[in-house]
Amino acid sequence: MANQRAGILGTGHSYPEGILTNADLAKMVETSDEWITTRTGIKQRRKAAPHEYTSMFAVRAVRQAIERAKLDPSDIDLLICATVSPDQILPSTGCIIQAEIGAHNAAAMDVVAACSGFLYGVSLADSMIRTGQVRYAVVVGAEVLTQYVDYTDRQTCVLFGDGAGAAVLGPAEGNRGILASKIKSDGRYEEQLYSPGGGTRRKPSAETLAAGDHFFKMKGNELFKVAVRSMTEISRDVLEQGGSKSDDVDLFIPHQANQRITEAVADRLNVDTSKVYSNIAVHGNTSAASIPIALDECVQSKRVNEGDLVLMASFGGGVTWGAVLMRW
Ligand code: ACO
């Protein structure tokens, strides 16, 4: 049925067992637990072991989400994997996950939108469900970012962690489901966060590897300001589109980039801190996985309940940003 609003029917998440604490990092670069905690809110992050790769975590998260949605992998029509740390260039990590879980009726693909990838995927899946093109979709944000982190660069190495989070979308009941969504990007800010090596522009070679061109480079300070401004604006846009005010929001799940970004956005939106979810202390910044991991934690801990108004907003490399407003 066309124009059927989409809702989230099940969620799941997974992360590596390995933990990298601030104390561990202080042994590797000139930093301290005090600096990292006050500037970012991060105390530890998960780190994949050398034999672990992105789809391993994605598969676990997706299986959990499908099971909780009381569906079978064969019911899934669309599988979107949001990642900037794919298993390999070809095929997509989405196709690798599809084969692993047996979602043989799905169209599978990757979305590359850094930290906004999950909300990009949700927005696309919502549109396809509304138009009746697909009935059930899985969106998974999955990253092994620690592989792209330069552990001699203290500005970036303290931020990033690994993991995956997934959500199954399908036709929503009653007044529940996604009320509004919006995604945006601006490629002119490419160099605020990028990894230049390894593609066709700067081809992988012994030289690019030695130069560390495959590592993330970041202008953290500039990114901070653009992130706060963009997440605030796009959140206001979806609130308006959905006919809601920030006062109506029961739960705000921002991308977990930096606790200070989260607080600055919540403050500008006038969302009370009691309604803002944060797990950055234990996960760090897991890029596309950050919002779905947080969402699943909220579902499992009953921090979100039927009828709640949920606002999610993200910002990431590209630069990209997005927001989704939904009635749970
Ligand atoms: N330990 C100790 N000192 C440090 C560290 C560290 N880990 N990192 C930087 N410093 C130093 C700097 O060298 C600088 O020293 P100086 O004054 O002597 O030059 C000083 O601390 C201040 O540096 P700033 O960069 O101004 O610190 P800031 O408060 O901005 O914090 C941070 C840096 C944490 C990176 C912050 O800017 C930030 O979080 N930015 C946004 C990150 C983000 O949102 N990324 C995008 C999303 S992620 C994605 O898309 C995958």
Side-chain angles (χ1 to χ4, degrees), residues 5-42:
R5 193 184 282 168
I8 291 181
L9 313 179
T11 54
H13 79 276
S14 165
Y15 45 72
E17 280 186 13
I19 293 176
L20 192 63
T21 65
N22 290 351
D24 295 330
L25 284 162
K27 289 180 201 143
M28 297 156 77
V29 287
E30 204 184 322
T31 190
S32 64
D33 175 48
E34 201 264 332
W35 193 96
I36 303 170
T37 306
T38 48
R39 297 294 182 113
T40 71
I42 302 169

PDB file of all heavy atoms in Angstrom, residues 5-42:
ATOM      1  N   ARG A   5       3.240   4.934   6.292  1.00  0.00           N
ATOM      2  CA  ARG A   5       4.357   5.409   7.109  1.00  0.00           C
ATOM      3  C   ARG A   5       5.209   4.226   7.592  1.00  0.00           C
ATOM      4  O   ARG A   5       4.673   3.169   7.912  1.00  0.00           O
ATOM      5  CB  ARG A   5       3.778   6.156   8.302  1.00  0.00           C
ATOM      6  CG  ARG A   5       4.775   6.945   9.062  1.00  0.00           C
ATOM      7  CD  ARG A   5       4.125   7.555  10.278  1.00  0.00           C
ATOM      8  NE  ARG A   5       3.338   8.735   9.960  1.00  0.00           N
ATOM      9  CZ  ARG A   5       2.504   9.305  10.813  1.00  0.00           C
ATOM     10  NH1 ARG A   5       2.323   8.798  12.013  1.00  0.00           N
ATOM     11  NH2 ARG A   5       1.849  10.387  10.483  1.00  0.00           N
ATOM     12  N   ALA A   6       6.539   4.427   7.644  1.00  0.00           N
ATOM     13  CA  ALA A   6       7.429   3.341   8.097  1.00  0.00           C
ATOM     14  C   ALA A   6       7.775   3.518   9.568  1.00  0.00           C
ATOM     15  O   ALA A   6       7.934   4.639  10.057  1.00  0.00           O
ATOM     16  CB  ALA A   6       8.718   3.359   7.273  1.00  0.00           C
ATOM     17  N   GLY A   7       7.881   2.399  10.252  1.00  0.00           N
ATOM     18  CA  GLY A   7       8.290   2.434  11.657  1.00  0.00           C
ATOM     19  C   GLY A   7       9.441   1.474  11.881  1.00  0.00           C
ATOM     20  O   GLY A   7       9.807   0.703  10.991  1.00  0.00           O
ATOM     21  N   ILE A   8      10.013   1.523  13.084  1.00  0.00           N
ATOM     22  CA  ILE A   8      11.096   0.597  13.423  1.00  0.00           C
ATOM     23  C   ILE A   8      10.497  -0.575  14.200  1.00  0.00           C
ATOM     24  O   ILE A   8       9.843  -0.393  15.230  1.00  0.00           O
ATOM     25  CB  ILE A   8      12.213   1.329  14.206  1.00  0.00           C
ATOM     26  CG1 ILE A   8      12.919   2.302  13.257  1.00  0.00           C
ATOM     27  CG2 ILE A   8      13.211   0.324  14.797  1.00  0.00           C
ATOM     28  CD1 ILE A   8      14.072   3.094  13.848  1.00  0.00           C
ATOM     29  N   LEU A   9      10.695  -1.777  13.661  1.00  0.00           N
ATOM     30  CA  LEU A   9      10.041  -2.970  14.220  1.00  0.00           C
ATOM     31  C   LEU A   9      10.963  -3.794  15.109  1.00  0.00           C
ATOM     32  O   LEU A   9      10.497  -4.656  15.854  1.00  0.00           O
ATOM     33  CB  LEU A   9       9.525  -3.859  13.073  1.00  0.00           C
ATOM     34  CG  LEU A   9       8.735  -3.159  11.948  1.00  0.00           C
ATOM     35  CD1 LEU A   9       8.318  -4.166  10.892  1.00  0.00           C
ATOM     36  CD2 LEU A   9       7.506  -2.464  12.525  1.00  0.00           C
ATOM     37  N   GLY A  10      12.269  -3.563  14.997  1.00  0.00           N
ATOM     38  CA  GLY A  10      13.219  -4.328  15.814  1.00  0.00           C
ATOM     39  C   GLY A  10      14.599  -3.700  15.714  1.00  0.00           C
ATOM     40  O   GLY A  10      14.930  -3.097  14.692  1.00  0.00           O
ATOM     41  N   THR A  11      15.370  -3.814  16.783  1.00  0.00           N
ATOM     42  CA  THR A  11      16.725  -3.241  16.781  1.00  0.00           C
ATOM     43  C   THR A  11      17.721  -4.250  17.361  1.00  0.00           C
ATOM     44  O   THR A  11      17.329  -5.187  18.070  1.00  0.00           O
ATOM     45  CB  THR A  11      16.785  -1.948  17.633  1.00  0.00           C
ATOM     46  OG1 THR A  11      16.284  -2.255  18.945  1.00  0.00           O
ATOM     47  CG2 THR A  11      15.979  -0.822  17.037  1.00  0.00           C
ATOM     48  N   GLY A  12      18.994  -4.042  17.081  1.00  0.00           N
ATOM     49  CA  GLY A  12      20.030  -4.921  17.643  1.00  0.00           C
ATOM     50  C   GLY A  12      21.376  -4.220  17.593  1.00  0.00           C
ATOM     51  O   GLY A  12      21.540  -3.243  16.863  1.00  0.00           O
ATOM     52  N   HIS A  13      22.328  -4.691  18.372  1.00  0.00           N
ATOM     53  CA  HIS A  13      23.678  -4.146  18.250  1.00  0.00           C
ATOM     54  C   HIS A  13      24.738  -5.134  18.713  1.00  0.00           C
ATOM     55  O   HIS A  13      24.429  -6.133  19.373  1.00  0.00           O
ATOM     56  CB  HIS A  13      23.816  -2.798  18.968  1.00  0.00           C
ATOM     57  CG  HIS A  13      23.973  -2.869  20.460  1.00  0.00           C
ATOM     58  ND1 HIS A  13      22.914  -2.966  21.328  1.00  0.00           N
ATOM     59  CD2 HIS A  13      25.082  -2.837  21.231  1.00  0.00           C
ATOM     60  CE1 HIS A  13      23.366  -2.979  22.576  1.00  0.00           C
ATOM     61  NE2 HIS A  13      24.674  -2.913  22.552  1.00  0.00           N
ATOM     62  N   SER A  14      25.958  -4.862  18.326  1.00  0.00           N
ATOM     63  CA  SER A  14      27.068  -5.757  18.631  1.00  0.00           C
ATOM     64  C   SER A  14      28.361  -4.948  18.605  1.00  0.00           C
ATOM     65  O   SER A  14      28.449  -3.953  17.876  1.00  0.00           O
ATOM     66  CB  SER A  14      27.116  -6.842  17.545  1.00  0.00           C
ATOM     67  OG  SER A  14      28.340  -7.522  17.573  1.00  0.00           O
ATOM     68  N   TYR A  15      29.338  -5.360  19.396  1.00  0.00           N
ATOM     69  CA  TYR A  15      30.638  -4.680  19.354  1.00  0.00           C
ATOM     70  C   TYR A  15      31.732  -5.645  19.795  1.00  0.00           C
ATOM     71  O   TYR A  15      31.447  -6.677  20.408  1.00  0.00           O
ATOM     72  CB  TYR A  15      30.640  -3.405  20.210  1.00  0.00           C
ATOM     73  CG  TYR A  15      30.006  -3.550  21.573  1.00  0.00           C
ATOM     74  CD1 TYR A  15      30.628  -4.257  22.596  1.00  0.00           C
ATOM     75  CD2 TYR A  15      28.771  -2.965  21.841  1.00  0.00           C
ATOM     76  CE1 TYR A  15      30.051  -4.379  23.843  1.00  0.00           C
ATOM     77  CE2 TYR A  15      28.174  -3.096  23.090  1.00  0.00           C
ATOM     78  CZ  TYR A  15      28.828  -3.797  24.094  1.00  0.00           C
ATOM     79  OH  TYR A  15      28.241  -3.923  25.321  1.00  0.00           O
ATOM     80  N   PRO A  16      32.978  -5.306  19.489  1.00  0.00           N
ATOM     81  CA  PRO A  16      34.067  -6.216  19.869  1.00  0.00           C
ATOM     82  C   PRO A  16      34.260  -6.287  21.378  1.00  0.00           C
ATOM     83  O   PRO A  16      33.871  -5.356  22.094  1.00  0.00           O
ATOM     84  CB  PRO A  16      35.297  -5.601  19.211  1.00  0.00           C
ATOM     85  CG  PRO A  16      34.909  -4.310  18.628  1.00  0.00           C
ATOM     86  CD  PRO A  16      33.445  -4.120  18.754  1.00  0.00           C
ATOM     87  N   GLU A  17      34.889  -7.358  21.813  1.00  0.00           N
ATOM     88  CA  GLU A  17      35.160  -7.487  23.254  1.00  0.00           C
ATOM     89  C   GLU A  17      36.308  -6.580  23.698  1.00  0.00           C
ATOM     90  O   GLU A  17      36.360  -6.139  24.843  1.00  0.00           O
ATOM     91  CB  GLU A  17      35.509  -8.945  23.585  1.00  0.00           C
ATOM     92  CG  GLU A  17      34.269  -9.786  23.706  1.00  0.00           C
ATOM     93  CD  GLU A  17      34.552 -11.194  24.180  1.00  0.00           C
ATOM     94  OE1 GLU A  17      35.671 -11.473  24.663  1.00  0.00           O
ATOM     95  OE2 GLU A  17      33.632 -12.015  24.050  1.00  0.00           O
ATOM     96  N   GLY A  18      37.223  -6.325  22.766  1.00  0.00           N
ATOM     97  CA  GLY A  18      38.413  -5.540  23.115  1.00  0.00           C
ATOM     98  C   GLY A  18      38.072  -4.118  23.538  1.00  0.00           C
ATOM     99  O   GLY A  18      37.253  -3.450  22.901  1.00  0.00           O
ATOM    100  N   ILE A  19      38.702  -3.665  24.619  1.00  0.00           N
ATOM    101  CA  ILE A  19      38.457  -2.311  25.138  1.00  0.00           C
ATOM    102  C   ILE A  19      39.775  -1.537  25.148  1.00  0.00           C
ATOM    103  O   ILE A  19      40.810  -2.058  25.585  1.00  0.00           O
ATOM    104  CB  ILE A  19      37.877  -2.379  26.574  1.00  0.00           C
ATOM    105  CG1 ILE A  19      36.471  -2.983  26.557  1.00  0.00           C
ATOM    106  CG2 ILE A  19      37.849  -0.985  27.219  1.00  0.00           C
ATOM    107  CD1 ILE A  19      35.861  -3.189  27.943  1.00  0.00           C
ATOM    108  N   LEU A  20      39.708  -0.295  24.663  1.00  0.00           N
ATOM    109  CA  LEU A  20      40.870   0.586  24.711  1.00  0.00           C
ATOM    110  C   LEU A  20      40.499   1.739  25.647  1.00  0.00           C
ATOM    111  O   LEU A  20      39.587   2.531  25.341  1.00  0.00           O
ATOM    112  CB  LEU A  20      41.143   1.108  23.291  1.00  0.00           C
ATOM    113  CG  LEU A  20      42.453   1.822  23.017  1.00  0.00           C
ATOM    114  CD1 LEU A  20      43.659   0.900  23.238  1.00  0.00           C
ATOM    115  CD2 LEU A  20      42.461   2.361  21.587  1.00  0.00           C
ATOM    116  N   THR A  21      41.163   1.827  26.782  1.00  0.00           N
ATOM    117  CA  THR A  21      40.816   2.872  27.760  1.00  0.00           C
ATOM    118  C   THR A  21      41.661   4.125  27.521  1.00  0.00           C
ATOM    119  O   THR A  21      42.664   4.089  26.793  1.00  0.00           O
ATOM    120  CB  THR A  21      41.074   2.384  29.199  1.00  0.00           C
ATOM    121  OG1 THR A  21      42.495   2.172  29.332  1.00  0.00           O
ATOM    122  CG2 THR A  21      40.334   1.103  29.523  1.00  0.00           C
ATOM    123  N   ASN A  22      41.262   5.201  28.199  1.00  0.00           N
ATOM    124  CA  ASN A  22      42.062   6.429  28.111  1.00  0.00           C
ATOM    125  C   ASN A  22      43.466   6.187  28.664  1.00  0.00           C
ATOM    126  O   ASN A  22      44.443   6.742  28.159  1.00  0.00           O
ATOM    127  CB  ASN A  22      41.373   7.560  28.894  1.00  0.00           C
ATOM    128  CG  ASN A  22      40.097   8.016  28.204  1.00  0.00           C
ATOM    129  OD1 ASN A  22      39.810   7.604  27.075  1.00  0.00           O
ATOM    130  ND2 ASN A  22      39.336   8.861  28.872  1.00  0.00           N
ATOM    131  N   ALA A  23      43.549   5.347  29.690  1.00  0.00           N
ATOM    132  CA  ALA A  23      44.870   5.036  30.276  1.00  0.00           C
ATOM    133  C   ALA A  23      45.740   4.309  29.245  1.00  0.00           C
ATOM    134  O   ALA A  23      46.940   4.583  29.140  1.00  0.00           O
ATOM    135  CB  ALA A  23      44.696   4.189  31.532  1.00  0.00           C
ATOM    136  N   ASP A  24      45.129   3.417  28.455  1.00  0.00           N
ATOM    137  CA  ASP A  24      45.894   2.725  27.390  1.00  0.00           C
ATOM    138  C   ASP A  24      46.442   3.751  26.401  1.00  0.00           C
ATOM    139  O   ASP A  24      47.599   3.669  25.975  1.00  0.00           O
ATOM    140  CB  ASP A  24      44.995   1.748  26.607  1.00  0.00           C
ATOM    141  CG  ASP A  24      44.484   0.597  27.473  1.00  0.00           C
ATOM    142  OD1 ASP A  24      45.195   0.212  28.411  1.00  0.00           O
ATOM    143  OD2 ASP A  24      43.368   0.098  27.194  1.00  0.00           O
ATOM    144  N   LEU A  25      45.590   4.718  26.013  1.00  0.00           N
ATOM    145  CA  LEU A  25      46.013   5.716  25.019  1.00  0.00           C
ATOM    146  C   LEU A  25      47.106   6.627  25.567  1.00  0.00           C
ATOM    147  O   LEU A  25      47.996   7.050  24.820  1.00  0.00           O
ATOM    148  CB  LEU A  25      44.798   6.547  24.570  1.00  0.00           C
ATOM    149  CG  LEU A  25      43.869   5.809  23.607  1.00  0.00           C
ATOM    150  CD1 LEU A  25      42.508   6.474  23.533  1.00  0.00           C
ATOM    151  CD2 LEU A  25      44.486   5.735  22.213  1.00  0.00           C
ATOM    152  N   ALA A  26      47.027   6.894  26.859  1.00  0.00           N
ATOM    153  CA  ALA A  26      48.044   7.763  27.481  1.00  0.00           C
ATOM    154  C   ALA A  26      49.432   7.132  27.430  1.00  0.00           C
ATOM    155  O   ALA A  26      50.436   7.834  27.565  1.00  0.00           O
ATOM    156  CB  ALA A  26      47.640   8.096  28.913  1.00  0.00           C
ATOM    157  N   LYS A  27      49.459   5.805  27.226  1.00  0.00           N
ATOM    158  CA  LYS A  27      50.770   5.131  27.087  1.00  0.00           C
ATOM    159  C   LYS A  27      51.264   5.223  25.636  1.00  0.00           C
ATOM    160  O   LYS A  27      52.419   4.938  25.348  1.00  0.00           O
ATOM    161  CB  LYS A  27      50.642   3.650  27.465  1.00  0.00           C
ATOM    162  CG  LYS A  27      50.433   3.440  28.961  1.00  0.00           C
ATOM    163  CD  LYS A  27      50.315   1.951  29.269  1.00  0.00           C
ATOM    164  CE  LYS A  27      49.614   1.728  30.588  1.00  0.00           C
ATOM    165  NZ  LYS A  27      48.725   0.571  30.594  1.00  0.00           N
ATOM    166  N   MET A  28      50.348   5.582  24.702  1.00  0.00           N
ATOM    167  CA  MET A  28      50.711   5.577  23.278  1.00  0.00           C
ATOM    168  C   MET A  28      51.021   6.971  22.740  1.00  0.00           C
ATOM    169  O   MET A  28      51.855   7.132  21.857  1.00  0.00           O
ATOM    170  CB  MET A  28      49.557   4.956  22.465  1.00  0.00           C
ATOM    171  CG  MET A  28      49.301   3.498  22.842  1.00  0.00           C
ATOM    172  SD  MET A  28      47.610   2.955  22.477  1.00  0.00           S
ATOM    173  CE  MET A  28      47.682   2.736  20.751  1.00  0.00           C
ATOM    174  N   VAL A  29      50.275   7.992  23.215  1.00  0.00           N
ATOM    175  CA  VAL A  29      50.496   9.377  22.761  1.00  0.00           C
ATOM    176  C   VAL A  29      50.483  10.297  23.979  1.00  0.00           C
ATOM    177  O   VAL A  29      50.067   9.884  25.068  1.00  0.00           O
ATOM    178  CB  VAL A  29      49.383   9.857  21.768  1.00  0.00           C
ATOM    179  CG1 VAL A  29      49.533   9.211  20.416  1.00  0.00           C
ATOM    180  CG2 VAL A  29      47.990   9.632  22.347  1.00  0.00           C
ATOM    181  N   GLU A  30      50.880  11.551  23.754  1.00  0.00           N
ATOM    182  CA  GLU A  30      50.913  12.493  24.870  1.00  0.00           C
ATOM    183  C   GLU A  30      49.497  12.998  25.134  1.00  0.00           C
ATOM    184  O   GLU A  30      49.007  13.954  24.512  1.00  0.00           O
ATOM    185  CB  GLU A  30      51.847  13.649  24.518  1.00  0.00           C
ATOM    186  CG  GLU A  30      52.397  14.326  25.754  1.00  0.00           C
ATOM    187  CD  GLU A  30      53.236  15.532  25.387  1.00  0.00           C
ATOM    188  OE1 GLU A  30      53.966  15.461  24.380  1.00  0.00           O
ATOM    189  OE2 GLU A  30      53.116  16.533  26.108  1.00  0.00           O
ATOM    190  N   THR A  31      48.804  12.320  26.018  1.00  0.00           N
ATOM    191  CA  THR A  31      47.443  12.713  26.389  1.00  0.00           C
ATOM    192  C   THR A  31      47.185  12.221  27.805  1.00  0.00           C
ATOM    193  O   THR A  31      48.065  11.625  28.434  1.00  0.00           O
ATOM    194  CB  THR A  31      46.402  12.148  25.386  1.00  0.00           C
ATOM    195  OG1 THR A  31      45.135  12.738  25.635  1.00  0.00           O
ATOM    196  CG2 THR A  31      46.271  10.631  25.461  1.00  0.00           C
ATOM    197  N   SER A  32      45.968  12.476  28.293  1.00  0.00           N
ATOM    198  CA  SER A  32      45.639  12.025  29.655  1.00  0.00           C
ATOM    199  C   SER A  32      44.152  11.720  29.739  1.00  0.00           C
ATOM    200  O   SER A  32      43.356  12.243  28.939  1.00  0.00           O
ATOM    201  CB  SER A  32      45.984  13.115  30.666  1.00  0.00           C
ATOM    202  OG  SER A  32      45.169  14.241  30.407  1.00  0.00           O
ATOM    203  N   ASP A  33      43.793  10.921  30.718  1.00  0.00           N
ATOM    204  CA  ASP A  33      42.370  10.616  30.949  1.00  0.00           C
ATOM    205  C   ASP A  33      41.615  11.918  31.201  1.00  0.00           C
ATOM    206  O   ASP A  33      40.511  12.121  30.686  1.00  0.00           O
ATOM    207  CB  ASP A  33      42.256   9.667  32.152  1.00  0.00           C
ATOM    208  CG  ASP A  33      40.811   9.406  32.540  1.00  0.00           C
ATOM    209  OD1 ASP A  33      40.020   9.109  31.631  1.00  0.00           O
ATOM    210  OD2 ASP A  33      40.468   9.533  33.731  1.00  0.00           O
ATOM    211  N   GLU A  34      42.252  12.824  31.930  1.00  0.00           N
ATOM    212  CA  GLU A  34      41.609  14.094  32.284  1.00  0.00           C
ATOM    213  C   GLU A  34      41.293  14.909  31.015  1.00  0.00           C
ATOM    214  O   GLU A  34      40.180  15.386  30.839  1.00  0.00           O
ATOM    215  CB  GLU A  34      42.553  14.865  33.224  1.00  0.00           C
ATOM    216  CG  GLU A  34      41.869  15.924  34.071  1.00  0.00           C
ATOM    217  CD  GLU A  34      41.967  17.288  33.433  1.00  0.00           C
ATOM    218  OE1 GLU A  34      42.947  17.501  32.690  1.00  0.00           O
ATOM    219  OE2 GLU A  34      41.063  18.121  33.660  1.00  0.00           O
ATOM    220  N   TRP A  35      42.278  15.017  30.088  1.00  0.00           N
ATOM    221  CA  TRP A  35      42.070  15.794  28.864  1.00  0.00           C
ATOM    222  C   TRP A  35      40.948  15.162  28.023  1.00  0.00           C
ATOM    223  O   TRP A  35      40.024  15.843  27.585  1.00  0.00           O
ATOM    224  CB  TRP A  35      43.356  15.871  28.013  1.00  0.00           C
ATOM    225  CG  TRP A  35      43.262  16.906  26.911  1.00  0.00           C
ATOM    226  CD1 TRP A  35      43.708  18.189  26.954  1.00  0.00           C
ATOM    227  CD2 TRP A  35      42.626  16.753  25.629  1.00  0.00           C
ATOM    228  NE1 TRP A  35      43.410  18.842  25.776  1.00  0.00           N
ATOM    229  CE2 TRP A  35      42.744  17.991  24.946  1.00  0.00           C
ATOM    230  CE3 TRP A  35      41.962  15.704  24.977  1.00  0.00           C
ATOM    231  CZ2 TRP A  35      42.241  18.197  23.668  1.00  0.00           C
ATOM    232  CZ3 TRP A  35      41.452  15.921  23.687  1.00  0.00           C
ATOM    233  CH2 TRP A  35      41.596  17.147  23.046  1.00  0.00           C
ATOM    234  N   ILE A  36      41.041  13.848  27.833  1.00  0.00           N
ATOM    235  CA  ILE A  36      40.056  13.180  26.956  1.00  0.00           C
ATOM    236  C   ILE A  36      38.654  13.290  27.564  1.00  0.00           C
ATOM    237  O   ILE A  36      37.684  13.578  26.863  1.00  0.00           O
ATOM    238  CB  ILE A  36      40.434  11.694  26.710  1.00  0.00           C
ATOM    239  CG1 ILE A  36      41.840  11.581  26.111  1.00  0.00           C
ATOM    240  CG2 ILE A  36      39.418  11.027  25.783  1.00  0.00           C
ATOM    241  CD1 ILE A  36      42.394  10.157  26.052  1.00  0.00           C
ATOM    242  N   THR A  37      38.565  13.087  28.872  1.00  0.00           N
ATOM    243  CA  THR A  37      37.248  13.120  29.517  1.00  0.00           C
ATOM    244  C   THR A  37      36.637  14.515  29.447  1.00  0.00           C
ATOM    245  O   THR A  37      35.469  14.662  29.074  1.00  0.00           O
ATOM    246  CB  THR A  37      37.362  12.674  30.992  1.00  0.00           C
ATOM    247  OG1 THR A  37      38.014  11.406  31.025  1.00  0.00           O
ATOM    248  CG2 THR A  37      35.998  12.536  31.637  1.00  0.00           C
ATOM    249  N   THR A  38      37.420  15.549  29.778  1.00  0.00           N
ATOM    250  CA  THR A  38      36.815  16.884  29.796  1.00  0.00           C
ATOM    251  C   THR A  38      36.550  17.410  28.387  1.00  0.00           C
ATOM    252  O   THR A  38      35.557  18.098  28.166  1.00  0.00           O
ATOM    253  CB  THR A  38      37.677  17.913  30.563  1.00  0.00           C
ATOM    254  OG1 THR A  38      39.016  17.786  30.094  1.00  0.00           O
ATOM    255  CG2 THR A  38      37.652  17.688  32.050  1.00  0.00           C
ATOM    256  N   ARG A  39      37.402  17.066  27.405  1.00  0.00           N
ATOM    257  CA  ARG A  39      37.203  17.599  26.045  1.00  0.00           C
ATOM    258  C   ARG A  39      36.226  16.782  25.213  1.00  0.00           C
ATOM    259  O   ARG A  39      35.702  17.278  24.219  1.00  0.00           O
ATOM    260  CB  ARG A  39      38.526  17.662  25.289  1.00  0.00           C
ATOM    261  CG  ARG A  39      39.555  18.593  25.873  1.00  0.00           C
ATOM    262  CD  ARG A  39      39.104  20.041  25.772  1.00  0.00           C
ATOM    263  NE  ARG A  39      40.115  20.937  26.299  1.00  0.00           N
ATOM    264  CZ  ARG A  39      40.805  21.796  25.558  1.00  0.00           C
ATOM    265  NH1 ARG A  39      40.589  21.901  24.270  1.00  0.00           N
ATOM    266  NH2 ARG A  39      41.709  22.575  26.110  1.00  0.00           N
ATOM    267  N   THR A  40      36.016  15.507  25.576  1.00  0.00           N
ATOM    268  CA  THR A  40      35.165  14.667  24.708  1.00  0.00           C
ATOM    269  C   THR A  40      34.081  13.884  25.451  1.00  0.00           C
ATOM    270  O   THR A  40      33.093  13.472  24.848  1.00  0.00           O
ATOM    271  CB  THR A  40      36.011  13.610  23.950  1.00  0.00           C
ATOM    272  OG1 THR A  40      36.468  12.617  24.878  1.00  0.00           O
ATOM    273  CG2 THR A  40      37.204  14.224  23.256  1.00  0.00           C
ATOM    274  N   GLY A  41      34.275  13.602  26.728  1.00  0.00           N
ATOM    275  CA  GLY A  41      33.327  12.758  27.479  1.00  0.00           C
ATOM    276  C   GLY A  41      33.628  11.275  27.349  1.00  0.00           C
ATOM    277  O   GLY A  41      32.950  10.435  27.932  1.00  0.00           O
ATOM    278  N   ILE A  42      34.680  10.934  26.576  1.00  0.00           N
ATOM    279  CA  ILE A  42      34.979   9.509  26.321  1.00  0.00           C
ATOM    280  C   ILE A  42      35.910   8.951  27.409  1.00  0.00           C
ATOM    281  O   ILE A  42      36.896   9.594  27.779  1.00  0.00           O
ATOM    282  CB  ILE A  42      35.638   9.335  24.924  1.00  0.00           C
ATOM    283  CG1 ILE A  42      34.722   9.897  23.829  1.00  0.00           C
ATOM    284  CG2 ILE A  42      35.954   7.857  24.651  1.00  0.00           C
ATOM    285  CD1 ILE A  42      35.390  10.027  22.453  1.00  0.00           C
TER     286      ILE A  42
END
